[in-house]
Amino acid sequence: MSASFLFRRLVYGLVLMLGVVVLNFILIRLAPGDPAVVIAGEMGGGDAALLDAIRAQYGLDKPLLTQLGIYLGSILQGDLGQSFFFNQPVATLIGNRIGPTILLVLSAQVLSILLGVFLGVIAARKPNGVLSGVVSVVATVGYAVPVFWTGIMLIILFASVFPIFPVEGMQSVRLRDAGLWVRSVDIAHHLVLPAFTLALIYLAQYARLSRASMLDVLGSDYIRTARAKGAPEHSILFKHALRNASLPILTVAGLQFGNLISGALLVETVFNWPGMGRLAFESILRRDYPTVLGVLFFASAMVVVANLLTDLSYRLADPRLRGKT
Amino acid sequence: MSALLEIENLRVAFNTRHGEVTALDSVSLTVNAGETLGVVGESGCGKSITALSVMGLIPSPPGRIAGGAIRLAGEDLTRVSEARMRALRGAELAMIFQEPMTSLNPVFTVGDQIAEAIMLHQKVGHAQAFRDAVALLDRVGIPSPDRRARDYPHQLSGGMRQRVMIAMAVSCRPRVLIADEPTTALDVTVQAQIFDLLNEIQRDFGAAIILITHDMGAISEMADRVAVMYAGRVIEEADADDVLDHPQHPYTRGLISCIPALGKGDTELREIPGVVPPLHRLGAGCAFAERCAHRNGRCDSGKPLLVNHGHHPAACHAVQEGRI
Ligand SMILES: Nc1ncnc2c1ncn2[C@@H]1O[C@H](COP(=O)(O)OP(=O)(O)OP(=O)(O)O)[C@@H](O)[C@H]1O
Ligand code: SF4
Ligand SMILES: [Mg+2]
């Protein structure tokens, strides 16, 4: 792994972020709706003079390109602007909510990859067996069913039938002041349903993908060599084959990360998870441009970082890629 | 004394979309310690399937051993447990494959891959096994073995990879070493080096070698005895010199006349006209009939048996009838 490779990927990531910021800025301005009207509405309505005053206050009266220039300038200084609605710095708003979102996204990612790959590997062992069939069915269903439906079904199931997992929020109110350990367990307990709901779609995809990838790899000559050495079956599967089969899985994991984040925003709304999801949803309705842009900025930054990590893990998994650029 | 490895009346069947086909039929072969048995025949005649049967590596499904016995020092490998077979594979039985480019795992260093073979069968730790692997790489003629042991397969040439495969195969001093067309994918000078290496290894380790090839030239240099296969059967078997100098079966004669140096004066590379019939279309008669100049009515109605009709065993009606 060369330092120049890392450096180039970082620069590439930054350029990508810049492009994303510009694109978001323009797209959101193309969408219908006027924040001044919404803000005036919150204040109990107003005339044209008030609207102009609001526009002037938030710099919305300047030409679009000038606004873009001002926005880029402040981003470079680490300032994401003020929320129109909360009258707080966007960075503070997001800072308070990004932790739960990252926790949810990463748990779902880890859960879906570990469980999905495990199921896929087991299914690949007997491609015509029962488990293989079950994985295919679950994969298809999991892929076809929308997250909010899964979420709502799980809420119904666990709220009334088996009340063992909380279906709402991230922490129990009565445990807010408990010790770190108790609170961690409490958060993990709350995390189960949202993380599982989010993981389910991707879990199914990973299971199907790793089954296919494993079947492919298990037919290769080096697997026969490993068998000819007398390697036991678990070593054939999890050592010799999985390492090779993991490359397409890594690719998809990297590509899916963006979808996972947008899925997380939905799941957060369903389970009332205190992350960026609700903030994004409400800010869009309120035409709170700086907040929407800020959420998009962080979401894109997470995707860019995830892609960088994917590239790095690719090189760890496949020695043939090391030393290449 | 019975032979080290005895294959007796082996039958291997595959489930295909044409129904069940017999890939090996009544195959009997023996190999003694320190001996090299050459197995020759055109592509698809069942050489690799024979080798994989011995290793217990017939892909199943679709394949299965449908009859016969494979005895290693008296123990019938077709009846032992999978655990026993695993203990034998790599330790007593080893195999070098046709495809050096793809037979090594791309994500592990070659040293680790050899060390793994050692650790699977001997009670040694990784450090010791890796040192042994380096010594083996040195033994099979790989320059700067310490450095090479830390290389990945893609950093080595085809010849080097085949040397690695050989090092891995002999790492536990197997009693039977099967080399399935070990040089087909390599260029000519490297081929000669690999054969020399196999000869040396056999001298040092005393292994019985089964050398599979469709190259009669390699047979004349390497083999003590030869079995000629055609469409899943052994159709001629004898000492290498006998087969080369007095081929009996029309197919063997054809094979030998195809070697420019050994053929009757012409240097042009020839081939036996026609192709091996697909397994699902094997009829009641001799599988070679469609390509044979000596065919008569008997050849279409009954399969010739592998019997000694004079010089050495051959499965041909014409030989039996003294017509050729
Ligand atoms: N997985 C399989 N399914 C069905 N038939 C198979 C399978 N593997 C091998 N066979 C059949 O078994 C026969 C023997 O194959 P084998 O690989 O032993 O040939 P070979 O003599 O080693 O040829 P080559 O010189 O090309 O390596 C072939 O005709 C093939 O059709
Ligand atoms: S048995 Fe008949 S067809 Fe077969 S090789 Fe002999 S002569 Fe030819
Ligand atoms: Mg073969």
Side-chain angles (χ1 to χ4, degrees):
Chain A
M1 196 100 27
S2 62
S4 81
F5 164 77
L6 258 180
F7 178 73
R8 259 182 303 119
R9 282 302 143 109
L10 277 175
V11 170
Y12 172 76
L14 288 179
V15 171
L16 198 66
M17 283 300 302
L18 186 72
V20 165
V21 167
V22 171
L23 200 66
N24 285 341
F25 189 88
I26 293 170
L27 279 179
I28 209 157
R29 292 307 164 100
L30 289 180
D34 181 347
V37 173
V38 182
I39 296 170
E42 298 276 343
M43 298 159 90
D47 52 11
L50 178 61
L51 288 181
D52 282 343
I54 292 172
R55 289 200 184 100
Q57 183 190 343
Y58 292 105
L60 293 166
D61 54 345
K62 299 198 176 73
L64 196 60
L65 273 181
T66 316
Q67 291 184 41
L68 176 60
I70 294 172
Y71 185 63
L72 286 179
S74 58
I75 279 196
L76 286 180
Q77 294 162 29
D79 178 9
L80 289 171
Q82 277 298 106
S83 161
F84 293 166
F85 179 79
F86 294 97
N87 261 322
Q88 275 187 45
V90 169
T92 315
L93 282 174
I94 291 177
N96 291 336
R97 289 169 170 83
I98 196 165
T101 295
I102 290 181
L103 180 65
L104 175 62
V105 165
L106 288 186
S107 321
Q109 178 86 329
V110 169
L111 188 68
S112 59
I113 291 181
L114 285 187
L115 215 59
V117 169
F118 182 76
L119 286 177
V121 170
I122 300 292
R125 247 187 67 185
K126 294 219 169 74
N128 301 317
V130 178
L131 187 73
S132 205
V134 171
V135 165
S136 296
V137 171
V138 170
T140 315
V141 173
Y143 189 65
V145 172
V147 269
F148 55 83
W149 188 85
T150 324
I152 290 167
M153 286 303 127
L154 286 175
I155 288 179
I156 293 174
L157 187 67
F158 285 98
S160 44
V161 189
F162 306 109
I164 44 174
F165 292 116
V167 295
E168 205 246 5
M170 188 171 90
Q171 277 176 294
S172 312
V173 181
R174 63 192 163 81
L175 295 176
R176 278 273 155 79
D177 303 317
L180 181 65
W181 170 243
V182 174
R183 271 190 299 143
S184 305
V185 172
D186 184 43
I187 291 177
H189 193 202
H190 280 79
L191 184 59
V192 172
L193 290 185
F196 185 76
T197 304
L198 185 54
L200 196 63
I201 343 166
Y202 304 100
L203 181 154
Q205 285 185 41
Y206 289 125
R208 203 163 48 169
L209 179 69
S210 45
R211 176 179 176 273
S213 181
M214 282 292 286
L215 281 177
D216 198 34
V217 167
L218 284 173
S220 44
D221 292 335
Y222 53 81
I223 295 298
R224 190 183 54 189
T225 305
R227 293 215 155 92
K229 285 189 213 181
E233 200 58 27
H234 63 85
S235 146
I236 301 273
L237 284 177
F238 290 99
K239 180 176 171 193
H240 287 273
L242 185 55
R243 180 87 178 266
N244 285 283
S246 68
L247 296 175
I249 301 170
L250 282 176
T251 314
V252 171
L255 290 175
Q256 287 289 15
F257 201 75
N259 293 340
L260 195 65
I261 291 173
S262 45
L265 301 188
L266 260 178
V267 169
E268 285 179 1
T269 318
V270 174
F271 287 95
N272 211 2
W273 188 260
M276 297 197 300
R278 277 209 95 84
L279 183 66
F281 182 65
E282 285 159 7
S283 303
I284 289 172
L285 293 184
R286 291 178 190 129
R287 309 282 160 218
D288 186 352
Y289 293 162
T291 311
V292 176
L293 286 177
V295 170
L296 290 176
F297 178 85
F298 271 99
S300 334
M302 281 163 75
V303 172
V304 168
V305 170
N307 285 342
L308 185 68
L309 291 178
T310 309
D311 267 0
L312 294 180
S313 50
Y314 231 85
R315 281 155 183 263
L316 282 181
D318 190 346
R320 283 165 296 188
L321 297 174
R322 285 174 215 162
K324 292 206 181 137
T325 50
Chain B
M1 201 194 86
S2 65
L4 174 61
L5 183 74
E6 275 179 303
I7 302 176
E8 194 184 307
N9 277 326
L10 183 65
R11 202 174 96 84
V12 171
F14 279 96
N15 263 319
T16 68
R17 58 197 170 88
H18 302 292
E20 192 173 82
V21 299
T22 304
L24 292 185
D25 199 5
S26 324
V27 169
S28 295
L29 294 169
T30 59
V31 204
N32 295 304
E35 183 185 48
T36 299
L37 169 72
V39 177
V40 281
E42 278 165 306
S43 191
C45 68
K47 305 181 298 289
S48 296
I49 296 297
T50 307
L52 292 173
S53 304
V54 174
M55 299 295 293
L57 291 176
I58 293 286
S60 161
R64 70 189 172 96
I65 291 185
I70 301 169
R71 277 185 288 271
L72 176 70
E75 183 178 14
D76 185 353
L77 303 182
T78 63
R79 290 171 196 282
V80 301
S81 68
E82 180 52 29
R84 172 69 182 144
M85 204 59 219
R86 249 197 331 263
L88 292 173
R89 257 186 238 132
E92 306 275 315
L93 302 165
M95 183 159 172
I96 303 161
F97 295 96
Q98 205 162 339
E99 307 84 4
M101 303 314 276
T102 52
S103 288
L104 290 165
N105 196 324
V107 302
F108 299 109
T109 65
V110 295
D112 277 340
Q113 294 187 56
I114 300 172
E116 184 194 14
I118 297 171
M119 287 188 293
L120 280 168
H121 300 288
Q122 295 167 23
K123 287 194 167 43
V124 296
H126 182 267
Q128 179 60 44
F130 199 86
R131 275 196 297 277
D132 292 351
V134 171
L136 281 160
L137 288 176
D138 191 31
R139 176 67 196 80
V140 297
I142 288 187
S144 34
D146 317 291
R147 202 158 50 76
R148 284 306 187 184
R150 286 173 176 80
D151 275 354
Y152 289 92
H154 73 274
Q155 294 167 294
L156 304 180
S157 67
M160 286 294 170
R161 289 188 215 183
Q162 200 58 299
R163 284 172 197 267
V164 170
M165 285 298 291
I166 294 174
M168 183 150 62
V170 299
S171 61
C172 297
R173 299 187 161 245
R175 288 204 276 176
V176 177
L177 176 62
I178 305 175
D180 187 356
E181 310 198 28
T183 60
T184 316
L186 306 175
D187 64 50
V188 184
T189 47
V190 182
Q191 286 187 8
Q193 294 167 6
I194 295 288
F195 282 135
D196 287 346
L197 175 61
L198 284 174
N199 272 329
E200 285 173 36
I201 295 275
Q202 183 170 46
R203 220 177 36 228
D204 295 4
F205 294 65
I209 293 184
I210 301 179
L211 175 67
I212 295 174
T213 176
H214 34 212
D215 173 5
M216 273 292 185
I219 289 291
S220 70
E221 277 174 42
M222 295 285 296
D224 301 308
R225 278 186 316 116
V226 180
V228 184
M229 293 187 69
Y230 191 80
R233 286 169 170 259
V234 177
I235 52 109
E236 181 158 352
E237 196 205 334
D239 285 349
D241 295 340
D242 286 339
V243 172
L244 291 167
D245 297 341
H246 308 284
Q248 303 286 300
H249 195 285
Y251 176 63
T252 316
R253 292 169 193 240
L255 277 183
I256 286 172
S257 71
C258 288
I259 323 170
L262 296 171
K264 304 233 160 53
D266 63 328
T267 50
E268 194 183 327
L269 193 65
R270 288 193 284 142
E271 276 188 353
I272 308 173
V275 290
V276 191
L279 296 175
H280 64 277
R281 289 218 264 107
L282 292 181
C286 172
F288 190 60
E290 277 178 31
R291 305 167 74 181
C292 183
H294 306 279
R295 168 188 194 176
N296 68 11
R298 250 187 101 190
C299 304
D300 294 328
S301 54
K303 286 201 197 305
L305 298 174
L306 183 64
V307 198
N308 192 342
H309 303 295
H311 206 277
H312 57 254
C316 171
H317 295 307
V319 174
Q320 185 193 4
E321 292 160 8
R323 289 194 281 119
I324 50 170

